[in-house]
Amino acid sequence: MGFLSPEEMLEVMPAEEQTFRSPIPTRPFSSDEFLPAPQNEKQREFESRIRQYGDELAAHQGISRRRFFRTAAGMAAAFVAMNDTYGPVFGVSRAEAATPEMATERAKSLSGQFIMDMHTHFLRDDTRIKGFIAQRAAVGRAGWNPALAGKEQTIEDLKFANYFKEVFLDSDTKVAMISGAPSDIPIDWFLTNEMKVEARAKINKESGSRRAMSHAIFTPGQPGWLEQVDHAIRDLRPDSFKGYTIGDNSNKDISKYPWRLDDEKLLYPFYEKVVKAGLNNICVHKGLFPPSVEKQYPHLLAYSDVRDVGRAARDWPQLNFIVYHSAYRYAAGGRAEDGLAQFERTGRVDWVSDLADIPSKFGVNNVYGDLGQIFAQTTMAEPRLAAAMMGILTRGLGHERVVWGTDAVWTGSPQWQIESLRRLEIPEDLQKKHGFRPLGAADGPVKSAIFAGNNARIYKYPEPRRAELATDRFAQMKRIYEANGGERSNQVYGFVRKPAPALPGTTGAA
């Protein structure tokens, strides 16, 4: 089962066939839900530059380039290359990239930072999303991983075990929300609500603390959906609810049940149940619907933007409406260049600016922007766009209502996204022109609020629970893992567009 057409599959290659594993991805990638954009000229320039820096700095340290890129200095080198390609956006120095001790000390000083990633995924064992199987088989055939050759492949990298490694061992994430996506076809749910609860229980039992939370997916309009809400509240005790106003996002061609947040007849009885149960967070997938997708599914456009958020938030002040991806339109097959061009022309970005306008237009303070694919799809493609959207969100919603989520593990370990926000600063010219405030230090008040403070407040995660995380079994496990050489793979999963012919001097694996 894959969601790309046979014609589209001819245009892509498995991401694992892209053997150059930069600490920051060098080209757009996707699951098999949508066609990724081609690598653009700036991304090719960045890739050439980071290869060069990696070769030079790795040779200076007497290690391989791939090994260097797994270190803190390798991560710093990637951000130096980003600044040299796109202009000064990230806080990093060449000395940090060239001096392992300096980079390692910085990484250690921030490793204890409290980070709540409330937007993570993995796939069920019986998933039909089979595109990733072909991806791993290709790696075996190519001989890059002899252990994969000559054996039937699965998609274990997108399942629980690798999810646990990449989120809790390979990143500074302390607490994660296990999310999912529904479908009108039951087998195509990423995880059932019961599966998410089981994973939450397993993680928290093994850690001896509260490391995991879980969503219950709600599906307005589907037969028996309110009964399923009752079941979730009564038997599963979710930490919050999550819905897709587009209906079936994985199979848009057959989506039968799109809905609006402000539908009084359909949704308001659900809100009553949530409030009565003592829950207060409604997470909703928005955006990721660029013009290319709109052409295919024009009837779903009105369900993908944020036109329905303001009234629902005004009518239900008891609830927090957390808009995933902050409704960023130009991912999922779109082009970050289009988003940047729009911002440079108008000072706005679809539909992020519309989201940021809601508090002033509707007089509400219960609308939040989750970052999600904003970081996964713009920091590596157009970092000035990422900085601009952070300015738009923090100016309109207030930094107290911007929350951290990475959409991992589709994007690999979330550590590169964590480092992106830690180092990201809104350029001075954008601050002056648009009235944006600076984001400040990696552990300053703005970024600390975004990384965890805001999520801790709305999910009622108190300070004493945070203290437990420093000494629980996962903390001990991570110390042992790192002491024995555990390192990030720098792998992303899914598909990339087949590359153009290689530039001179840019061949070879990392």
Side-chain angles (χ1 to χ4, degrees):
M1 174 68 182
F3 304 120
L4 296 180
S5 70
E7 293 76 19
E8 289 172 329
M9 287 297 295
L10 295 175
E11 299 184 47
V12 300
M13 58 185 279
E16 283 183 281
E17 287 189 22
Q18 181 199 349
T19 58
F20 178 55
R21 297 187 181 182
S22 168
I24 301 171
T26 62
R27 61 185 64 200
F29 48 88
S30 74
S31 68
D32 62 352
E33 295 174 280
F34 60 87
L35 188 66
Q39 187 182 41
N40 64 30
E41 183 178 348
K42 280 291 187 181
Q43 289 161 346
R44 287 192 292 271
E45 180 184 341
F46 166 64
E47 181 172 330
S48 178
R49 185 170 276 123
I50 186 56
R51 285 178 185 270
Q52 176 188 342
Y53 293 177
D55 285 338
E56 294 171 356
L57 294 168
H60 181 72
Q61 296 179 27
I63 59 177
S64 70
R65 185 173 69 186
R66 177 168 291 193
R67 178 67 187 277
F68 171 70
F69 281 151
R70 293 177 175 179
T71 68
M75 180 73 78
F79 284 105
V80 170
M82 289 290 283
N83 280 349
D84 289 349
T85 303
Y86 295 98
V89 180
F90 300 103
V92 67
S93 69
R94 294 182 182 276
E96 185 183 349
T99 312
E101 296 81 8
M102 181 185 297
T104 300
E105 180 59 32
R106 178 189 180 278
K108 286 183 177 179
S109 71
L110 292 170
S111 63
Q113 187 174 23
F114 186 43
I115 294 176
M116 293 182 71
D117 187 342
M118 306 308 273
H119 188 172
T120 69
H121 291 277
F122 63 91
L123 292 177
R124 59 198 286 174
D125 288 337
D126 61 346
T127 181
R128 292 201 314 166
I129 303 175
K130 301 300 185 184
F132 298 107
I133 293 179
Q135 164 188 331
R136 289 174 61 82
V139 173
R141 287 195 303 271
W144 296 320
N145 185 349
L148 300 182
K151 61 180 289 189
E152 183 178 357
Q153 295 305 310
T154 63
I155 51 173
E156 298 306 313
D157 281 341
L158 279 299
K159 294 183 180 178
F160 178 80
N162 193 53
Y163 166 87
F164 172 81
K165 172 184 179 294
E166 297 209 330
V167 171
F168 291 107
L169 298 182
D170 288 341
S171 87
D172 291 337
T173 302
K174 303 300 186 294
V175 178
M177 173 72 76
I178 301 168
S179 191
S183 174
D184 296 343
I185 303 171
I187 191 63
D188 286 343
W189 283 51
F190 289 175
L191 298 168
T192 66
N193 288 336
E194 288 77 10
M195 290 172 181
K196 290 190 286 290
V197 169
E198 289 170 6
R200 177 184 68 180
K202 181 177 182 179
I203 290 171
N204 291 341
K205 179 180 179 181
E206 292 299 321
S207 69
S209 60
R210 193 185 181 197
R211 289 276 187 167
M213 298 185 189
S214 64
H215 281 140
I217 301 295
F218 66 104
T219 56
Q222 284 196 5
W225 77 279
L226 280 176
E227 288 77 6
Q228 287 300 311
V229 168
D230 291 335
H231 160 61
I233 291 173
R234 181 182 64 247
D235 303 320
L236 305 180
R237 299 183 181 277
D239 296 287
S240 63
F241 279 90
K242 179 189 176 187
Y244 283 68
T245 52
I246 197 173
D248 189 339
N249 189 52
S250 298
N251 304 290
K252 296 181 181 70
D253 56 325
I254 64 167
S255 182
K256 300 176 183 176
Y257 304 104
W259 47 274
R260 293 174 56 100
L261 285 164
D262 58 0
D263 185 327
E264 294 185 30
K265 183 176 179 181
L266 185 64
L267 268 295
Y268 284 26
F270 162 68
Y271 300 150
E272 290 177 1
K273 290 177 181 289
V274 173
V275 171
K276 185 177 180 180
L279 297 172
N280 63 332
N281 294 324
I282 305 296
C283 303
V284 57
H285 172 101
K286 288 285 192 180
L288 311 193
F289 205 84
S292 60
V293 177
E294 179 189 348
K295 289 180 181 178
Q296 293 179 279
Y297 313 106
H299 63 292
L300 296 177
L301 176 67
Y303 301 97
S304 300
D305 60 26
V306 297
R307 69 185 70 186
D308 56 339
V309 176
R311 180 169 171 246
R314 185 181 60 197
D315 289 351
W316 292 89
Q318 314 96 312
L319 298 173
N320 298 316
F321 290 86
I322 304 164
V323 178
Y324 272 27
H325 313 292
S326 290
Y328 174 55
R329 184 179 191 186
Y330 293 103
R335 303 189 324 148
E337 304 97 286
D338 295 336
L340 181 60
Q342 182 187 56
F343 174 74
E344 290 177 339
R345 187 175 66 253
T346 68
R348 299 180 65 83
V349 179
D350 289 349
W351 294 300
V352 177
S353 295
D354 297 326
L355 174 67
D357 289 344
I358 288 175
S360 61
K361 283 187 175 182
F362 289 86
V364 298
N365 62 4
N366 58 335
V367 174
Y368 291 73
D370 153 88
L371 296 183
Q373 288 291 330
I374 281 182
F375 262 69
Q377 298 291 340
T378 64
T379 51
M380 49 73 66
E382 293 289 354
R384 277 180 65 89
L385 175 61
M389 289 194 289
M390 291 302 298
I392 290 168
L393 291 170
T394 54
R395 182 185 62 190
L397 299 178
H399 74 264
E400 303 89 348
R401 284 176 288 280
V402 180
V403 295
W404 185 243
T406 65
D407 224 7
V409 295
W410 309 145
T411 53
S413 169
Q415 188 62 24
W416 70 274
Q417 294 186 62
I418 292 170
E419 278 298 307
S420 292
L421 180 58
R422 282 173 171 167
R423 297 179 183 273
L424 183 71
E425 186 53 271
I426 301 171
E428 288 188 11
D429 64 309
L430 298 186
Q431 292 184 37
K432 291 178 181 178
K433 183 175 181 179
H434 299 281
F436 298 149
R437 293 180 177 273
L439 299 176
D443 55 357
V446 173
K447 292 178 181 176
S448 293
I450 294 170
F451 272 134
N454 300 333
N455 276 325
R457 183 182 71 252
I458 63 179
Y459 282 98
K460 300 179 175 62
Y461 200 101
E463 189 68 39
R465 281 195 181 275
R466 304 186 204 183
E468 295 173 1
L469 304 181
T471 57
D472 70 359
R473 285 194 287 273
F474 279 14
Q476 298 170 33
M477 185 186 304
K478 185 167 184 175
R479 285 192 287 270
I480 295 170
Y481 173 76
E482 291 175 340
N484 285 278
E487 297 174 326
R488 298 183 315 276
S489 68
N490 289 330
Q491 179 61 52
V492 297
Y493 304 103
F495 296 95
V496 295
R497 291 288 274 269
K498 289 180 179 177
L503 296 173
T506 63
T507 58

